[in-house]
Amino acid sequence: MSEAVEVVLVDDHHMFRTGVKASLDAGVRVIGEADTVDEAIRLVRELKPPVVLLDVHLPGGDGGGGAEVIKACTDLLGETRFLALSVSDASEDVVAVIRAGARGYVTKAIDGTDLSDAVRRVAGGDAVFSPRLAGFVLDAFGAAAGDVAIGDDELDRLSAREREVMRLIARGYSYREVASELFISIKTVETHVSAVLRKLQLSSRHELTRWAAARRLL
């Protein structure tokens, strides 16, 4: 069994932190908690965890909330990844923390199983977003990456089902959500994703999202 991913949990509501800790599975372990910008910066720099679960709106600091925490830890982004966890689904909040350097953004409506999976995916280098939020990021960063013409030869490599799976995965859906959406098993989703990455010569979900966004396929 692989070691649990160590996480620092940052939120200014004690009851919420307690609930998050109780809902995470055995593959994720909270090693520290903070409830202000200043305490979060201190703790993250001290513990250097693989993942920080970070609320967007926090007291303290210069009023910059979660984005301020990330900016203060920019030099750690190679070893520590930030996953925003917030009640807010406002586009300005999403874009602000992603611009600061967060690797993903999920809302507090997420369940414990999916949150645990999101933590592991972020620790592994993927970018993770709640499905409805991915569009904000693509709108904000798609053009900056440079528009790329859709290559029919690239899409022709994928079957119709693989294209469906590709679009959902690129939008930030979990394997379980894709399986539910398309009425197929999670194992089948995994098989399709592996085929898509192989055919497009990509190595991760993050690269797939960038590939699809650049071609306006979402």
Side-chain angles (χ1 to χ4, degrees):
M1 181 177 178
S2 59
E3 293 185 5
V5 177
E6 295 183 335
V7 170
V8 163
L9 176 58
V10 182
D11 192 283
D12 61 333
H13 293 94
H14 173 73
M15 289 297 292
F16 177 73
R17 297 199 309 272
T18 299
V20 169
K21 288 190 295 182
S23 68
L24 293 169
D25 65 30
V28 179
R29 182 164 66 93
V30 176
I31 61 171
E33 300 177 48
D35 57 8
T36 67
V37 168
D38 307 279
E39 178 63 13
I41 294 171
R42 184 196 67 76
L43 197 60
V44 170
R45 299 196 69 83
E46 174 187 331
L47 298 178
K48 297 180 177 62
V51 176
V52 179
L53 272 175
L54 180 70
D55 194 8
V56 174
H57 300 292
L58 294 167
D62 295 324
E68 183 178 342
V69 174
I70 300 171
K71 290 175 183 176
C73 300
T74 299
D75 58 309
L76 301 180
L77 292 180
E79 56 184 315
T80 294
R81 297 181 171 94
F82 291 83
L83 173 60
L85 174 63
S86 177
V87 69
S88 172
D89 61 0
S91 60
E92 57 268 27
D93 288 334
V94 178
V95 173
V97 293
I98 299 304
R99 286 194 188 281
R103 292 290 295 178
Y105 194 118
V106 295
T107 66
K108 290 180 177 178
I110 193 170
D111 65 30
T113 299
D114 287 339
L115 180 58
S116 300
D117 181 57
V119 168
R120 284 187 286 271
R121 285 164 53 193
V122 167
D126 279 345
V128 180
F129 300 94
S130 291
R132 285 181 292 276
L133 305 184
F136 297 149
V137 180
L138 299 176
D139 288 344
F141 299 101
D147 291 338
V148 178
I150 298 176
D152 289 337
D153 59 328
E154 291 179 306
L155 286 179
D156 284 345
R157 299 173 195 168
L158 307 181
S159 68
R161 178 63 90 187
E162 287 169 350
R163 293 185 196 184
E164 291 178 316
V165 171
M166 175 271 292
R167 286 189 172 91
L168 292 175
I169 290 293
R171 288 173 184 167
Y173 283 61
S174 69
Y175 285 4
R176 189 171 67 168
E177 289 169 331
V178 174
S180 176
E181 185 80 12
L182 300 180
F183 303 101
I184 57 180
S185 71
I186 294 176
K187 183 65 176 178
T188 300
V189 174
E190 293 173 347
T191 299
H192 285 317
V193 172
S194 295
V196 168
L197 294 178
R198 184 182 70 254
K199 290 178 180 180
L200 298 180
Q201 299 181 1
L202 302 173
S203 60
S204 69
R205 293 172 58 122
H206 179 57
E207 287 187 4
L208 179 60
T209 297
R210 291 176 61 87
W211 181 91
R215 289 158 179 79
R216 304 299 187 189
L217 296 177
L218 303 180

